[in-house]
């Protein structure tokens, strides 16, 4: 039995809405982290040049990619429950 069939019809709408919120937040936060990490990696923020190492900037980039993955999972959940 599919997961969609186990969820009651009355909860499919709220679960779909929650999934789209997760998707939007994941993409927005992932975008911010990714761009901030790239700007740290390429030393485009002069104030942070002496405080952040290359490894730390790569960790920020990886966090952005993880948030993009969470956003994608939320999008898939929205498509699964909304239709």
């Amino acid at each position: 039995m599919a997961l969609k069939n186990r969820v009651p019809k009355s909860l499919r709408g709220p679960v779909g809405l929650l999934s789209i919120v997760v998707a939007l937040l994941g993409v927005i936060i992932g975008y911010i982290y990714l761009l901030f990490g790239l700007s740290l990696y390429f030393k485009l923020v002069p104030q942070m040049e002496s405080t952040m190492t290359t490894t730390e900037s790569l960790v920020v980039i990886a966090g952005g990619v993880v948030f993009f993955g969470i956003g994608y999972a939320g999008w898939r959940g929205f498509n699964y429950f909304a239709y």
Side-chain angles (χ1 to χ4, degrees):
M1 183 185 264
L3 177 65
K4 187 174 183 178
N5 295 337
R6 289 187 209 164
V7 176
K9 282 192 176 261
S10 61
L11 289 179
R12 288 185 191 165
V15 170
L17 181 65
L18 181 66
S19 296
I20 195 71
V21 168
V22 167
L24 289 173
L25 286 176
V27 168
I28 290 169
I29 294 171
Y31 180 75
I32 292 169
Y33 271 43
L34 187 66
L35 285 185
F36 186 63
L38 287 173
S39 63
L40 289 174
Y41 182 77
F42 291 113
K43 310 279 191 237
L44 298 176
V45 183
Q47 297 86 357
M48 301 290 286
E49 190 171 333
S50 62
T51 60
M52 296 287 283
T53 64
T54 304
T55 307
E56 290 171 334
S57 63
L58 290 174
V59 168
V60 173
I61 291 170
V65 171
V66 166
F67 275 113
F68 267 118
I70 292 171
Y72 178 71
W75 179 253
R76 295 288 304 232
F78 171 71
N79 285 330
Y80 188 72
F81 285 107
Y83 295 110

